[in-house]
Amino acid sequence: MEFKHKTPLLDQLETGPWPSFVTDIKQEAESRKKNEKNIEYQIPVDCCEDLLGVLELSYVHKRTHWKHGGIVGVFGYGGGVIGRYCDQPEMFPGVAHFHTLRVNQPAGHFYTTEYLEKLCDLWERRGSGLTNMHGSTGDIIFLGTTTEQLEEIFYEMTHNLDQDLGGSGSNLRTPSDCMGESMCEFACYDTQALCYDLTMEYQDELHRPAFPYKFKFKFDGCPNCCVASIARADLSFIGIWRDDIRIDQEAVKAYVGGELVPNAGAHAGRDWGKFDIQKEVIDLCPTKCMRWDGEKLEINNPECTRCMHCINVMPRALRIGNDRGVCLLAGAKAPILHGAQMSTLIVPFMKVEEPYDEIKELIEKLWDWWMEEGLNRERLGELMKRQGFQKLLEVTGLKPIPQMIQEPRSNPYIFWKEEEVPGGFKRDIKEFRKYHQR
Amino acid sequence: MAFISSGYDPENPLKDRITDIGPRKGSEFYPPIIKKNKGKWLYHEILEPGIIKRVAESGDELYTIRAGGCRLMSVSLIREIISIADKYCDGYVRWTTRNNVEFMVDSKEKAMSLKEDLLSRKQPGGCYKFPIGGTGAGITNIVHTQGWIHCHTPATDASGTVKATLDVLFDDFTNMKLPAKLRISMACCLNMCGAVHCSDIAILGYHRKPPMIDHEYIDKLCEIPLAIAACPTGAIKPAKVELEDGTTVKSVAVNEERCMFCGNCYTMCPSMPLADTEGDGIVLLAGGKISNRITAPKFSKVVVAFIPNETPRWPTMTETIKKMVDTYAADARKYERFGDWAERIGWEKFFEKTGLEFTHHLIDDFRDPAYYTWRQTTQFKFT
C-alpha cells in the first residue's frame, strides 16, 4: 500500500527475525485506510501514517519531534494522561495532538479475550489503535489521541469496561506485581491480591497528585525478583520465608542420578556435562550452609539467606518454607537526580494477611514523613539519604536491627541526641573553669 | 468523521461520573486451571526454549508458550492474539513483565500445535510475528521506553535500537546456551522510565551538549526558579539577557563545565532543549542484576561512554553488545551472571577480553560514590 510519507530508513527495520514494530504500525495504518469495518474514527484516520512520517524525520535528524508535554487530563484526576504534541504539526497533522493514556493493568497481566476485544474496539475508534503492552510501570498504554477524546474514553472505560486509569506525575504510580501464586511455586505470598488491595486502598493517592514526586510499589513473590522491585520501587515487597527449606531427599537423589533435569531445563541448550551437586549447588551456596554426603542433603537453615539458587537448580527437590511473608525494602530509584539507588531493607519479615493493616500503617508513616519533609521532585530514597536512616527509624518507629545494614559505620561521627547523654548538653562554664584554667 | 458521544456531557462533567474504581481484578481473568490451582503449584520445567510445563499438587498440568514481540503493539496485532487465544486457549492470554505474550494450554499436544501455528506466522518482510523463546539461560525480550516515537526527552530511539539488537541476538532468544540468564534493558534517556540501571546489559540514550536557552520565551513558558532548582549540580543561575531588539528579559545562564547533561532542567522548562544530532547517542552499561541469587543485586557499570546514533540499525552498538555477549558466553562459568563473571575475572580483564576501549570517561567522578569505585589495593591483574 502507498502511504503518505516515504520512510526509507524505517523500512530497513522491516527485515530480520525479530518482529518489526514498523511493519505493525504500517499494518494499522493500512487497516485504518481501508476501514473494512466502517468504523467512525474519532481521531484522524491517517494518524498512524503521520506517526511513521514523524518517526522517519527523527531517524533523519536524530532528534525527537515531540514537544514537551502539556497539561491535559480528565476532570478530577491529576494523572493517567500524558499530553503529547508534535513539533511539526503542519507536516504531520494526524499526530499534532497525540496524547497518551495509562490504563491500570489487571494484576499479573492476565486477560480474557472478551475484555481485550473491548479495549481494542474502544481504542481503535477513539484513538490511534496503537498501544504498549505494556508500559514500563506495567500499565496498558494507549498511544495517541486528541484532547476532545479524553473524557469520552474515560467515560466509556469506566461505564462499559469497569476500568480506571493508572498513575502519572507526582502521585502513586500504578502498582505492579509478578505472576506470583497464580503460576509460580516460588511465590511466598499472593502478590496479586496485595497489589490489588493496595491499589484500591490508595485510589486517591493514585489519581490526585499530592506527593513531592512519584511513588512506586512493586510486588515480587520471591528473591528472584522478576518485577525488579528492588531496583525500581520506592517500596519493594519481596516474598521470603523464615522457617526451613522443604527437602524431598528422593528427588535430590533423582537429580544427582540424572533422572530429573536440573535447573528446570534452563541450561539445556549447551552440554555442561553431568550434573554435579557438589560443584553446582553446595559450593555455590553463598553461606556454605549445605552438605551432601552422597545420600542425604542437609541444610543448616538458620545460616541460609534464601538466595534461591539451590531451589532454582532443583525445584522438584527443594521448596520454599511454609512460614512465609514479605521482606520490605525502601527507596529505589533510577539515576536522576543524584545517582541510582536500590531499595534498603527496613523490615526483614512481615506476615501478609488481609486486611494488611500492618503494611498500610507503615506505608502511611513513610508517606507522612515524605510529604512533610520531601523536597519538590525528591524520591523517598533521596530523602532517606538526606535526612538519614535514624530519621527513618524515628518516623516509622521501627527498631534498629543489624539486618538493616551491610556493616556498621566506619566513622564515629554520631549525631548524639541530648537525651542520650547523661546530664544533657547544658553545662556551666564557670563551674568548669574552677578546675580548668584558661 | 462525525463526533460520537460516549454519553459524557461536557456541560455537566460530574453527571453519572464514575471514578476511583481501579483496575480490573486480575483473578477474574484467570483461566479455570489457574483459579483451581493458584498457590498450589508444585514445580515447573522448561521443556524447550519458550515452553514451560507447570505441575500442580492436584496433578493438573499447565503449559505456557512464550512469544516475544514488540511492546508497541497495534490493535490489529492484539486481535490476532485474541483469535489465537480463542482457538487454542479458551479465550485466555497473558503478558509477562518483559513484554512477552504468554499463551496457556492444558496439554503438551496443544502446546506443540500452537507452537507450530505461532512460528508459521510471519510479517511481510519475513520477521516472525511470534518468535518463541525467552526462557532459561538465554536472553528474553528487551524492556524499553518510548524513544522518538512518543517522548520529548529521548536521546535515541527505543523501538529501533531494541529491534536492531534483538535481530543480532535472536539466536540467544530462541536458545538456552548462555551460562545464566542475560537481561538486556533499554532506556532512551537517563530519566530511565525503564529503570535499566540493574541489567546485565543496559542500552541508555544520553545527551552530551548542555541545554540551549530560548531567552525570548523562557520567562513566558517556565517558572525560572524551578528550572534553576532542578539542576543537580547547581549549574544554572538567573541572568538578564538583552535580545536582538534591545529589550532585556529575565532568563538563565548555564555553567557549561558543570553540566552533566541530565536534562532535568528541560523536564521543568521546555525553553531549555538539549537534543542534538551529534551530541546525542548511546551509553552501554553492563554487569547489573536484580535477582538475589548467589550474589546480591547490583548496579550496571558504564562500559562504553558513547556510541553515535547510527540510524536505522545502530551497527556499532549492536556489534559491541554482540561482542560482550559472545565473550561472556565463552568465558563465564555455569550460573555466573554477567556482572559476577566480570567481578571474578576483574574489570581490567573484562576490558582485555572484550576488547572494549577503556577511557577516562569510565572512571567515576560524580560525588561520594565515585571514591568507592576506585581501587584501594595492590591486588590487580596486568593486562
Side-chain angles (χ1 to χ4, degrees):
Chain A
M1 183 175 268
E2 195 68 19
F3 293 117
K4 268 174 82 176
H5 310 284
K6 292 262 176 286
T7 54
L9 290 172
L10 291 179
D11 296 350
Q12 295 176 51
L13 289 168
E14 290 198 275
T15 52
W18 192 256
S20 168
F21 68 99
V22 176
T23 306
D24 193 27
I25 300 173
K26 283 187 180 175
Q27 168 176 236
E28 198 58 31
E30 193 173 328
S31 158
R32 289 176 82 90
K33 210 166 180 172
K34 286 187 185 157
N35 194 12
E36 285 169 348
K37 289 180 282 185
N38 290 316
I39 295 163
E40 293 237 44
Y41 292 118
Q42 297 294 294
I43 76 161
V45 178
D46 57 2
C47 60
C48 293
E49 290 179 73
D50 276 349
L51 183 66
L52 286 167
V54 73
L55 186 61
E56 177 76 13
L57 192 62
S58 281
Y59 271 59
V60 174
H61 289 160
K62 303 179 183 183
R63 299 188 302 266
T64 191
H65 282 288
W66 297 100
K67 281 193 211 179
H68 212 271
I71 299 175
V72 288
V74 298
F75 188 81
Y77 280 11
V81 181
I82 294 102
R84 190 63 68 211
Y85 302 90
C86 181
D87 73 4
Q88 291 296 340
E90 294 83 14
M91 287 167 79
F92 310 106
V95 294
H97 301 200
F98 209 58
H99 311 316
T100 304
L101 286 107
R102 293 189 182 161
V103 180
N104 195 332
Q105 80 285 0
H109 293 140
F110 281 95
Y111 295 96
T112 57
T113 52
E114 186 198 350
Y115 171 77
L116 272 181
E117 190 80 53
K118 285 184 188 164
L119 276 183
C120 290
D121 288 345
L122 168 63
W123 189 238
E124 193 170 26
R125 198 171 66 252
R126 297 198 179 275
S128 67
L130 299 175
T131 74
N132 288 151
M133 296 296 276
H134 297 81
S136 303
T137 303
D139 298 273
I140 303 159
I141 304 292
F142 281 174
L143 215 58
T145 192
T146 56
T147 310
E148 308 79 70
Q149 288 303 312
L150 296 173
E151 287 289 356
E152 307 296 331
I153 292 164
F154 183 68
Y155 191 95
E156 280 198 29
M157 247 169 41
T158 50
H159 285 77
N160 308 336
L161 291 174
D162 194 18
Q163 172 68 55
D164 209 336
L165 293 177
S168 66
S170 292
N171 60 11
L172 175 64
R173 296 301 181 85
T174 312
S176 73
D177 50 20
C178 69
M179 63 170 144
E181 291 184 347
S182 70
M183 294 208 288
C184 183
E185 70 272 24
F186 299 156
C188 297
Y189 69 99
D190 190 344
T191 51
Q192 299 180 5
L194 181 59
C195 181
Y196 182 74
D197 187 279
L198 294 183
T199 306
M200 296 310 287
E201 175 84 20
Y202 298 118
Q203 279 290 295
D204 191 32
E205 285 78 359
L206 197 153
H207 296 304
R208 297 169 193 89
F211 290 155
Y213 201 14
K214 63 181 96 167
F215 197 96
K216 297 182 177 183
F217 292 146
K218 293 196 189 292
F219 305 89
D220 274 311
C222 82
N224 281 329
C225 282
C226 291
V227 289
S229 67
I230 203 164
R232 306 198 291 163
D234 298 271
L235 203 50
S236 318
F237 298 79
I238 302 177
I240 58 164
W241 64 94
R242 59 180 170 184
D243 55 347
D244 294 354
I245 291 176
R246 289 172 288 165
I247 308 179
D248 176 345
Q249 296 289 353
E250 290 311 307
V252 177
K253 281 184 204 156
Y255 277 112
V256 173
E259 294 102 72
L260 290 177
V261 188
N263 306 295
H267 291 259
R270 199 200 288 194
D271 182 9
W272 291 95
K274 189 178 178 295
F275 175 63
D276 181 342
I277 190 171
Q278 184 65 38
K279 203 171 125 206
E280 298 187 37
V281 181
I282 313 292
D283 293 348
L284 289 180
C285 169
T287 63
K288 306 283 176 275
C289 70
M290 306 181 83
R291 203 159 67 116
W292 168 250
D293 63 6
E295 282 297 311
K296 198 171 171 222
L297 180 71
E298 281 178 275
I299 301 177
N300 183 3
N301 279 285
E303 292 300 309
C304 170
T305 51
R306 302 161 304 279
C307 86
M308 297 298 294
H309 176 64
C310 59
I311 298 179
N312 288 333
V313 176
M314 304 191 292
R316 293 181 70 167
L318 301 177
R319 303 183 68 195
I320 57 170
N322 283 320
D323 186 9
R324 301 168 204 156
V326 74
C327 177
L328 291 165
L329 302 93
K333 55 176 282 292
I336 196 118
L337 293 170
H338 303 286
Q341 287 177 233
M342 270 191 254
S343 280
T344 296
L345 191 147
I346 58 169
V347 178
F349 187 86
M350 205 183 254
K351 286 303 251 188
V352 182
E353 281 155 0
E354 286 181 79
Y356 315 114
D357 283 341
E358 209 183 340
I359 291 173
K360 289 172 190 170
E361 223 172 274
L362 182 67
I363 290 170
E364 286 160 28
K365 281 179 188 163
L366 287 168
W367 281 354
D368 283 348
W369 173 43
W370 181 52
M371 287 167 77
E372 185 71 30
E373 300 282 341
L375 306 173
N376 184 32
R377 286 168 58 79
E378 183 175 54
R379 296 281 290 269
L380 177 67
E382 289 163 317
L383 176 64
M384 285 164 62
K385 273 174 83 172
R386 185 166 59 83
Q387 294 203 338
F389 208 95
Q390 325 293 346
K391 185 73 182 174
L392 177 127
L393 295 176
E394 212 174 279
V395 299
T396 54
L398 291 170
K399 192 172 157 279
I401 48 169
Q403 282 81 356
M404 291 169 168
I405 57 164
Q406 285 198 57
E407 58 185 32
R409 65 195 305 157
S410 53
N411 65 69
Y413 305 144
I414 299 161
F415 291 100
W416 291 101
K417 290 198 177 69
E418 186 166 16
E419 61 272 21
E420 287 182 307
V421 186
F425 287 173
K426 303 280 174 294
R427 286 176 291 162
D428 185 352
I429 185 75
K430 283 187 182 136
E431 182 64 20
F432 183 79
R433 285 296 171 223
K434 281 184 193 166
Y435 307 98
H436 304 277
Q437 295 179 18
R438 280 191 185 90
Chain B
M1 189 168 86
F3 183 83
I4 298 174
S5 169
S6 60
Y8 170 73
D9 177 3
E11 298 299 313
N12 190 1
L14 287 177
K15 189 173 153 243
D16 298 331
R17 195 165 191 84
I18 298 174
T19 68
D20 298 85
I21 55 172
R24 293 287 287 265
K25 201 170 183 176
S27 53
E28 51 171 316
F29 295 150
Y30 289 159
I33 185 172
I34 287 181
K35 271 191 189 125
K36 179 179 163 199
N37 295 294
K38 184 177 174 186
K40 294 176 199 144
W41 294 101
L42 210 50
Y43 68 90
H44 72 281
E45 194 179 326
I46 306 168
L47 299 181
E48 56 181 270
I51 303 185
I52 304 175
K53 171 185 171 185
R54 298 183 179 276
V55 180
E57 288 167 10
S58 66
D60 287 354
E61 292 179 358
L62 173 71
Y63 295 80
T64 58
I65 297 96
R66 186 174 292 176
C70 306
R71 83 163 205 173
L72 185 106
M73 196 172 265
S74 70
V75 294
S76 300
L77 187 62
I78 297 175
R79 289 192 204 280
E80 187 168 345
I81 292 167
I82 289 172
S83 74
I84 296 167
D86 281 340
K87 184 171 173 195
Y88 294 92
C89 315
D90 301 318
Y92 296 92
V93 66
R94 74 176 291 266
W95 271 259
T96 71
T97 52
R98 296 186 83 88
N99 305 333
N100 298 302
V101 187
E102 211 159 58
F103 295 99
M104 299 161 282
V105 294
D106 56 15
S107 78
K108 197 173 171 181
E109 292 67 42
K110 280 189 202 167
M112 291 305 149
S113 50
L114 175 52
K115 172 189 162 187
E116 202 181 319
D117 184 337
L118 291 172
L119 292 180
S120 72
R121 294 170 191 252
K122 296 251 181 106
Q123 292 178 322
C127 315
Y128 285 102
K129 276 185 178 171
F130 303 104
I132 296 173
T135 52
I139 63 158
T140 183
N141 210 340
I142 299 179
V143 289
H144 64 90
T145 55
Q146 296 292 14
W148 289 334
I149 208 147
H150 212 228
C151 185
H152 63 293
T153 62
T156 189
D157 189 36
S159 307
T161 51
V162 165
K163 159 73 174 154
T165 305
L166 280 164
D167 276 343
V168 170
L169 297 179
F170 189 73
D171 198 34
D172 284 316
F173 178 82
T174 56
N175 277 290
M176 304 186 293
K177 53 190 168 70
L178 295 179
K181 64 175 163 187
L182 185 96
R183 294 288 172 265
I184 307 178
S185 312
M186 194 285 157
C188 54
C189 82
L190 95 169
N191 276 316
M192 283 197 194
C193 306
V196 302
H197 55 288
C198 296
S199 309
D200 292 284
I201 295 179
I203 305 167
L204 175 67
Y206 212 85
H207 303 288
R208 291 188 307 166
K209 293 191 185 181
M212 294 173 280
I213 304 160
D214 205 347
H215 295 297
E216 197 183 339
Y217 285 91
I218 188 164
D219 195 32
K220 297 173 195 155
L221 286 173
C222 312
E223 293 281 349
I224 288 178
L226 280 182
I228 292 168
C231 181
T233 63
I236 307 174
K237 61 179 182 188
K240 288 240 190 307
V241 175
E242 196 181 309
L243 299 178
E244 280 172 20
D245 66 3
T247 51
T248 304
V249 290
K250 277 196 227 164
S251 185
V252 297
V254 175
N255 179 345
E256 295 185 342
E257 276 179 23
R258 273 210 200 166
C259 180
M260 62 170 188
F261 321 103
C262 72
N264 207 42
C265 52
Y266 181 57
T267 299
M268 300 308 287
C269 171
S271 295
M272 301 182 72
L274 288 86
D276 188 87
T277 303
E278 285 82 30
D280 296 355
I282 303 281
V283 177
L284 291 179
L285 299 92
K289 72 187 194 79
I290 46 167
S291 154
N292 288 273
R293 185 175 183 172
I294 305 178
T295 57
K298 48 188 144 215
F299 291 124
S300 314
K301 284 85 183 164
V302 178
V303 293
V304 180
F306 186 77
I307 297 172
N309 276 323
E310 299 163 331
T311 55
R313 279 194 170 268
W314 286 266
T316 308
M317 177 195 78
T318 57
E319 277 159 29
T320 311
I321 293 172
K322 180 89 171 91
K323 198 158 55 178
M324 282 200 278
V325 174
D326 288 348
T327 312
Y328 159 73
D331 201 60
R333 295 175 182 164
K334 191 178 181 186
Y335 302 113
E336 226 167 28
R337 290 287 291 264
F338 197 100
D340 293 331
W341 163 66
E343 283 173 14
R344 176 175 59 80
I345 62 172
W347 285 98
E348 63 272 42
K349 279 280 176 195
F350 167 87
F351 285 98
E352 182 181 65
K353 285 182 193 245
T354 56
L356 298 188
E357 189 193 359
F358 188 81
T359 69
H360 72 89
H361 306 107
L362 305 181
I363 300 175
D364 197 353
D365 56 1
F366 189 71
R367 301 195 175 156
D368 267 7
Y371 168 80
Y372 299 100
T373 66
W374 305 340
R375 194 184 302 262
Q376 288 100 23
T377 169
T378 56
Q379 296 181 9
F380 64 88
K381 295 176 183 173
F382 288 104
T383 54

